[in-house]
Amino acid sequence: MALKEKLSKNAYFFYYFILMQGIGSAIISGGIEFAIAYGMYHGRRRVKMWRFPHTMAGDLVVSLWVQVGLTWVLEEIFIGWDFCCGSACEFPHMDAICNYVKKKKALYWYCEVEYGMLPRERGPQGFKQYLKDLFLPERNMSRGHTKKYKLWLWLVRKAMRCLSWGLLLFIFFWPTTLGIMVAPGTKYGRHDYSYNSYPFPQVMKLIFGFVLGLICTPFTVAVVIIRNETYTRMVDSGELEEEWPSEAGFEGSPEERKQDQLLMPSESASVESKC
């Protein structure tokens, strides 16, 4: 029996969303940032807040944007697949959340509801087909275009959302971090501060990565789950046309599409254990 079936809805939400995607992601992010900072700064004479080449302020900016972008791409892939397999959690008051997203045009656009996925029994039958519909969707503005155009459109859509979310984090998160860094720093010149090469930069990056992961990952996970839940409900109610099963997700000649469809059951069986 799957863990989701053993636990209550609220308990599984806590396990999946809070522990795995929140705290688990934060620990991994913090550990990666610690390792990167160790490689960058250990053995240097002094590390400065602003002055190149070893600038903590610049390092934090790059880390923030890279982490936001990578998190968004990875969660789009893996959380979306979890939803298709039925292993993603469901938020409390999901019906109210989905209805609210449908009514608010800005949220509807941001969550990309029309690019949502259906559960696997009605949607993609294998991981390969899932990736095809994720990156090369045959719907909305992507319909009828080349693979290259669809992929670029996917990147543009995600970049717009990453930039808006990253900008919000940058405005509130980065200045706060620099303000905290002033206290343990040693005044260097008129406007700069210096730090030892170990352990301050490593510990600072660990805390920075941990807190950023604790905020960034759950937000991205929530966007993906809410998108798919809203899309599924709108398909069920007839507000949106169901994209699966259809030939929209298959490209190539009719013979290739037929071959893909024949392969789907075996692909589905091969990923059964993962779901």
Side-chain angles (χ1 to χ4, degrees):
M1 181 182 293
L3 181 62
K4 187 175 183 178
E5 298 174 357
K6 295 179 181 179
L7 300 176
S8 66
K9 185 180 293 186
N10 289 336
Y12 188 73
F13 170 79
F14 179 81
Y15 164 77
Y16 185 90
F17 189 73
I18 305 298
L19 291 183
M20 284 184 58
Q21 306 302 333
I23 298 175
S25 174
I27 292 173
I28 293 173
S29 299
I32 292 173
E33 292 293 348
F34 181 92
I36 292 174
Y38 186 87
M40 288 179 62
Y41 301 119
H42 188 258
R44 309 293 179 184
R45 292 184 61 185
R46 297 292 289 178
V47 177
K48 309 297 189 301
M49 179 183 287
W50 297 105
R51 191 172 182 179
F52 285 93
H54 308 297
T55 163
M56 285 287 293
D59 184 12
L60 294 177
V61 171
V62 174
S63 297
L64 186 148
W65 287 106
V66 170
Q67 188 165 335
V68 169
L70 283 177
T71 298
W72 201 287
V73 172
L74 293 175
E75 302 306 331
E76 283 280 353
I77 296 172
F78 294 112
I79 302 304
W81 179 240
D82 277 355
F83 178 85
C84 290
C85 292
S87 56
C89 70
E90 183 176 318
F91 293 134
H93 312 292
M94 195 74 241
D95 289 335
I97 293 173
C98 293
N99 289 331
Y100 186 78
V101 170
K102 286 192 294 183
K103 294 176 182 178
K104 300 297 180 180
K105 292 183 178 180
L107 285 176
Y108 187 89
W109 171 84
Y110 191 85
C111 291
E112 301 181 285
V113 172
E114 293 182 352
Y115 287 96
M117 296 285 184
L118 293 170
R120 201 178 68 174
E121 61 269 14
R122 298 160 55 192
Q125 297 299 303
F127 191 64
K128 180 180 177 181
Q129 185 184 348
Y130 162 76
L131 291 177
K132 182 184 292 185
D133 194 51
L134 178 65
F135 293 107
L136 307 171
E138 185 64 24
R139 51 174 115 171
N140 300 331
M141 291 186 293
S142 298
R143 191 183 299 276
H145 290 283
T146 63
K147 291 182 179 180
K148 185 180 293 186
Y149 177 88
K150 292 175 184 178
L151 183 59
W152 274 111
L153 184 60
W154 185 88
L155 290 172
V156 169
R157 288 178 11 234
K158 302 310 171 186
M160 292 171 66
R161 285 147 184 85
C162 287
L163 287 172
S164 57
W165 173 232
L167 183 61
L168 187 65
L169 290 175
F170 175 79
I171 292 172
F172 292 100
F173 199 56
W174 185 67
T176 303
T177 305
L178 296 185
I180 294 172
M181 287 174 58
V182 169
T186 301
K187 189 73 173 177
Y188 184 86
R190 295 182 60 185
H191 305 293
D192 210 347
Y193 295 86
S194 67
Y195 311 91
N196 54 35
S197 62
Y198 182 85
F200 177 79
Q202 292 78 14
V203 173
M204 193 67 210
K205 287 292 294 293
L206 185 150
I207 297 172
F208 182 84
F210 181 90
V211 176
L212 188 58
L214 199 60
I215 297 172
C216 186
T217 304
F219 175 82
T220 311
V221 170
V223 169
V224 176
I225 292 177
I226 290 171
R227 173 206 303 148
N228 292 333
E229 288 283 0
T230 305
Y231 177 76
T232 301
R233 282 164 168 75
M234 293 183 73
V235 168
D236 290 341
S237 64
E239 297 173 82
L240 286 176
E241 182 181 353
E242 183 174 350
E243 296 285 344
W244 300 96
S246 71
E247 292 187 351
F250 301 100
E251 297 190 15
S253 65
E255 291 77 11
E256 290 174 332
R257 292 199 297 268
K258 184 177 181 181
Q259 185 178 9
D260 277 346
Q261 289 172 322
L262 291 173
L263 287 173
M264 280 194 298
S266 61
E267 288 181 346
S268 177
S270 67
V271 298
E272 187 68 34
S273 60
K274 298 180 182 178
C275 298

